[in-house]
Amino acid sequence: MTAVLFDFSGTLFRIQSTESWLRAALKETGLALAEPELADTAKALEAAGALPGGADPVDLPEDLAGLWAVRDESAELHRAAYTGLSRRVPLPDPALHDVLYDRHKSPDAWSPYPDAAEVLRTLRERGIGVAVVSNIGWDLRPVFREHGLDAYVDAYVLSYEHGVQKPDPRLFSAACAELGADPRQVLMVGDSRAADGGAAALGCRVHFVDHLPVAQRPDALLPVLDLVG
């Protein structure tokens, strides 16, 4: 293998919990909810699938189904999809829906998995090219910079910047091209078989990890170092 492509959310980083996300937005706006109501609201937001990088909607509203299917193809679609879902949940101020959306883009809303730095650093030391290939509607580069991982990434290929989303092979092809790598000598690492598995169409090898909380997944990325040889 000459290069490795990594998914972002659920692979290298994990978003904060829905309750922590809501608490941060309330603090930012100076709004408050009583503890029982806050817990219930967080559960409702999670069930709605309103937190990008969090759980998918338990029941996707029919009027948002078309938008949801293409949400990662542009920044506008991404915001519209997720704020559309959050607006299914009553909040103390309607403006809080946009505050919540903006909050999830903050570097401190994300935590790297415990072994991410070691794996990325080792790949760099071995001369293995690294790209982040993500279905996303905003620029995640500041997250990598803030957490000290940007120095180990050679390229970012983000769906909203290309107008296509995984599993479309064009996104993986763009990443391989940026790294100057033959797809047949590239490993794709991700948590979604439906999305990240699309790299196999180019001849890439694909390795999956589980999308778990950070504390429950301390070393799932380490096998990548053996897979690249």
Side-chain angles (χ1 to χ4, degrees), residues 30-75:
L31 297 170
L33 288 172
E35 281 300 315
E37 187 179 1
L38 190 151
D40 288 345
T41 301
K43 289 178 182 176
L45 286 168
E46 184 159 345
L51 174 58
D56 286 343
V58 172
D59 292 305
L60 181 62
E62 186 175 340
D63 63 319
L64 289 177
L67 182 59
W68 178 258
V70 295
R71 65 192 182 280
D72 296 311
E73 293 184 3
S74 76

Coordinates of all heavy atoms in Angstrom, one line a residue, residues 30-75:
G30 N -27.0 31.9 26.5 CA -27.5 32.4 27.8 C -28.9 31.9 28.1 O -29.6 32.4 29.0
L31 N -29.4 30.9 27.3 CA -30.7 30.3 27.6 C -30.5 29.1 28.6 O -29.4 28.6 28.9 CB -31.3 29.7 26.3 CG -31.6 30.8 25.2 CD1 -31.9 30.1 23.9 CD2 -32.7 31.7 25.7
A32 N -31.6 28.7 29.1 CA -31.6 27.6 30.1 C -32.8 26.7 30.0 O -33.9 27.1 29.6 CB -31.5 28.2 31.5
L33 N -32.6 25.5 30.4 CA -33.6 24.5 30.5 C -33.5 23.8 31.8 O -32.3 23.5 32.3 CB -33.6 23.5 29.4 CG -34.0 23.9 28.0 CD1 -33.6 22.8 27.0 CD2 -35.5 24.2 27.9
A34 N -34.6 23.5 32.5 CA -34.5 22.7 33.7 C -33.9 21.3 33.4 O -34.1 20.8 32.2 CB -35.9 22.5 34.3
E35 N -33.2 20.7 34.3 CA -32.5 19.5 34.0 C -33.3 18.4 33.4 O -32.9 17.8 32.4 CB -31.8 19.0 35.3 CG -30.5 19.7 35.6 CD -29.4 19.6 34.5 OE1 -29.2 18.5 34.0 OE2 -28.8 20.6 34.1
P36 N -34.5 18.1 34.0 CA -35.3 17.0 33.3 C -35.7 17.4 31.9 O -35.7 16.5 31.0 CB -36.6 17.0 34.2 CG -36.1 17.5 35.5 CD -35.1 18.6 35.2
E37 N -36.0 18.7 31.7 CA -36.4 19.1 30.3 C -35.2 19.1 29.4 O -35.3 18.7 28.2 CB -37.0 20.5 30.4 CG -37.5 21.0 29.0 CD -38.1 22.4 29.1 OE1 -38.1 23.0 30.1 OE2 -38.6 22.8 28.0
L38 N -34.0 19.4 29.9 CA -32.8 19.4 29.1 C -32.5 17.9 28.6 O -32.2 17.7 27.5 CB -31.6 19.9 29.9 CG -30.3 20.2 29.1 CD1 -29.5 21.3 29.7 CD2 -29.5 18.9 29.0
A39 N -32.6 17.0 29.6 CA -32.4 15.6 29.2 C -33.4 15.1 28.2 O -33.0 14.4 27.2 CB -32.5 14.7 30.5
D40 N -34.7 15.5 28.3 CA -35.7 15.0 27.4 C -35.5 15.6 26.0 O -35.7 15.0 25.0 CB -37.1 15.4 27.9 CG -37.5 14.6 29.1 OD1 -36.9 13.5 29.3 OD2 -38.5 15.0 29.8
T41 N -35.1 16.9 26.0 CA -34.8 17.6 24.7 C -33.6 17.0 24.0 O -33.7 16.8 22.8 CB -34.6 19.1 25.0 OG1 -35.7 19.7 25.6 CG2 -34.3 19.8 23.7
A42 N -32.6 16.6 24.8 CA -31.4 16.0 24.1 C -31.8 14.7 23.5 O -31.4 14.3 22.4 CB -30.3 15.8 25.2
K43 N -32.6 13.9 24.2 CA -33.1 12.6 23.7 C -33.9 12.8 22.4 O -33.8 12.0 21.5 CB -33.9 11.9 24.7 CG -33.1 11.3 25.9 CD -33.9 10.7 27.0 CE -33.1 10.2 28.2 NZ -34.0 9.6 29.2
A44 N -34.7 13.8 22.4 CA -35.6 14.1 21.2 C -34.7 14.5 20.1 O -35.0 14.1 18.9 CB -36.6 15.2 21.6
L45 N -33.7 15.4 20.3 CA -32.8 15.8 19.2 C -32.0 14.6 18.7 O -31.8 14.5 17.5 CB -31.8 16.8 19.8 CG -32.4 18.2 20.0 CD1 -31.4 19.1 20.8 CD2 -32.7 18.9 18.7
E46 N -31.6 13.7 19.6 CA -30.9 12.5 19.1 C -31.8 11.6 18.3 O -31.4 11.1 17.2 CB -30.3 11.7 20.3 CG -29.5 10.5 19.9 CD -28.6 10.1 21.0 OE1 -28.3 10.8 22.0 OE2 -28.0 8.9 20.8
A47 N -33.0 11.4 18.7 CA -33.9 10.6 17.9 C -34.2 11.2 16.6 O -34.4 10.5 15.6 CB -35.2 10.4 18.7
A48 N -34.2 12.5 16.6 CA -34.5 13.2 15.3 C -33.3 13.2 14.3 O -33.5 13.4 13.1 CB -34.8 14.7 15.6
G49 N -32.1 12.8 14.8 CA -31.0 12.7 14.0 C -30.4 14.1 13.7 O -29.8 14.4 12.7
A50 N -30.6 15.1 14.6 CA -30.3 16.5 14.4 C -28.8 16.8 14.6 O -28.4 17.8 14.1 CB -31.1 17.4 15.3
L51 N -28.1 15.9 15.2 CA -26.7 16.2 15.4 C -25.8 15.6 14.3 O -25.7 14.4 14.2 CB -26.2 15.6 16.8 CG -24.7 15.7 17.1 CD1 -24.2 17.1 17.1 CD2 -24.4 15.0 18.4
P52 N -25.2 16.4 13.5 CA -24.3 15.9 12.4 C -23.2 15.1 13.0 O -22.5 15.5 14.0 CB -23.8 17.1 11.7 CG -24.9 18.2 12.0 CD -25.3 17.9 13.4
G53 N -23.0 13.9 12.5 CA -21.9 13.0 13.1 C -22.5 12.1 14.2 O -21.8 11.2 14.6
G54 N -23.7 12.4 14.6 CA -24.4 11.5 15.6 C -25.2 10.5 15.0 O -25.0 10.0 13.8
A55 N -26.3 10.1 15.7 CA -27.2 9.0 15.2 C -28.0 9.5 14.0 O -28.4 10.7 14.0 CB -28.0 8.6 16.3
D56 N -28.3 8.6 13.1 CA -29.3 8.9 12.1 C -30.7 9.0 12.6 O -31.0 8.5 13.7 CB -29.3 7.8 11.0 CG -28.0 7.8 10.1 OD1 -27.3 8.8 10.1 OD2 -27.7 6.8 9.5
P57 N -31.6 9.7 11.9 CA -33.0 9.8 12.4 C -33.6 8.5 12.6 O -33.5 7.5 11.8 CB -33.7 10.6 11.3 CG -32.6 11.2 10.5 CD -31.4 10.3 10.6
V58 N -34.3 8.4 13.7 CA -35.1 7.1 14.0 C -36.2 7.0 13.0 O -36.4 5.9 12.4 CB -35.7 7.2 15.4 CG1 -36.6 6.0 15.7 CG2 -34.6 7.1 16.5
D59 N -36.9 8.1 12.7 CA -37.9 8.1 11.7 C -37.7 9.4 10.8 O -37.9 10.5 11.3 CB -39.3 8.2 12.3 CG -39.7 6.9 13.0 OD1 -39.6 5.9 12.4 OD2 -40.0 7.0 14.2
L60 N -37.2 9.2 9.6 CA -36.9 10.3 8.7 C -38.2 10.9 8.1 O -39.0 10.1 7.5 CB -36.0 9.8 7.5 CG -35.6 10.9 6.5 CD1 -34.8 12.0 7.2 CD2 -34.8 10.2 5.4
P61 N -38.5 12.1 8.4 CA -39.7 12.8 7.9 C -39.8 12.7 6.4 O -38.8 12.9 5.7 CB -39.6 14.2 8.4 CG -38.7 14.2 9.5 CD -37.7 13.1 9.2
E62 N -40.9 12.4 5.8 CA -41.1 12.2 4.4 C -40.7 13.5 3.6 O -40.1 13.4 2.6 CB -42.5 11.8 4.1 CG -42.7 11.5 2.6 CD -44.1 11.0 2.3 OE1 -44.8 10.6 3.3 OE2 -44.6 11.1 1.2
D63 N -41.0 14.6 4.2 CA -40.7 15.9 3.5 C -39.2 16.2 3.5 O -38.8 17.1 2.8 CB -41.5 17.0 4.1 CG -41.2 17.3 5.5 OD1 -41.0 16.3 6.3 OD2 -41.1 18.5 5.9
L64 N -38.4 15.5 4.3 CA -37.0 15.8 4.3 C -36.2 14.6 3.7 O -34.9 14.7 3.6 CB -36.5 15.9 5.8 CG -36.9 17.2 6.5 CD1 -36.4 17.2 7.9 CD2 -36.4 18.5 5.7
A65 N -36.9 13.6 3.2 CA -36.2 12.4 2.7 C -35.3 12.8 1.5 O -34.1 12.3 1.4 CB -37.2 11.3 2.3
G66 N -35.8 13.5 0.5 CA -35.0 13.9 -0.6 C -33.8 14.7 -0.3 O -32.7 14.5 -0.8
L67 N -34.0 15.7 0.6 CA -32.9 16.5 1.1 C -31.8 15.7 1.8 O -30.6 15.9 1.6 CB -33.4 17.6 2.0 CG -32.5 18.7 2.5 CD1 -31.8 19.4 1.4 CD2 -33.2 19.6 3.5
W68 N -32.3 14.8 2.7 CA -31.4 14.0 3.4 C -30.5 13.1 2.5 O -29.3 12.9 2.8 CB -32.2 13.0 4.4 CG -31.4 12.1 5.2 CD1 -31.2 10.8 5.0 CD2 -30.7 12.4 6.4 NE1 -30.4 10.2 5.9 CE2 -30.0 11.2 6.8 CE3 -30.5 13.6 7.1 CZ2 -29.3 11.1 8.0 CZ3 -29.7 13.5 8.3 CH2 -29.1 12.3 8.7
A69 N -31.0 12.6 1.4 CA -30.3 11.8 0.5 C -29.1 12.5 -0.1 O -28.1 11.8 -0.5 CB -31.2 11.2 -0.5
V70 N -29.1 13.8 -0.3 CA -28.1 14.5 -0.9 C -27.4 15.6 0.0 O -26.8 16.5 -0.5 CB -28.6 15.2 -2.2 CG1 -29.0 14.2 -3.2 CG2 -29.8 16.2 -1.9
R71 N -27.6 15.4 1.3 CA -27.3 16.5 2.2 C -25.8 16.9 2.2 O -25.4 18.0 2.5 CB -27.6 16.1 3.6 CG -26.9 14.8 4.1 CD -27.5 14.3 5.4 NE -26.8 13.1 6.0 CZ -26.9 11.9 5.5 NH1 -27.7 11.7 4.5 NH2 -26.3 10.9 6.1
D72 N -24.9 15.9 1.8 CA -23.5 16.2 1.9 C -22.9 16.8 0.5 O -21.7 16.9 0.4 CB -22.7 14.9 2.2 CG -23.1 14.4 3.6 OD1 -23.1 15.2 4.5 OD2 -23.4 13.2 3.8
E73 N -23.8 17.1 -0.4 CA -23.3 17.6 -1.7 C -23.0 19.1 -1.7 O -22.4 19.6 -2.6 CB -24.3 17.2 -2.8 CG -24.4 15.7 -3.0 CD -25.3 15.3 -4.2 OE1 -25.8 16.2 -4.9 OE2 -25.4 14.1 -4.4
S74 N -23.5 19.8 -0.7 CA -23.2 21.2 -0.6 C -23.4 21.7 0.8 O -24.1 21.1 1.6 CB -24.1 22.1 -1.5 OG -25.4 22.2 -1.0
A75 N -22.8 22.8 1.2 CA -22.9 23.4 2.5 C -24.4 23.8 2.8 O -24.9 23.6 3.9 CB -22.0 24.6 2.7

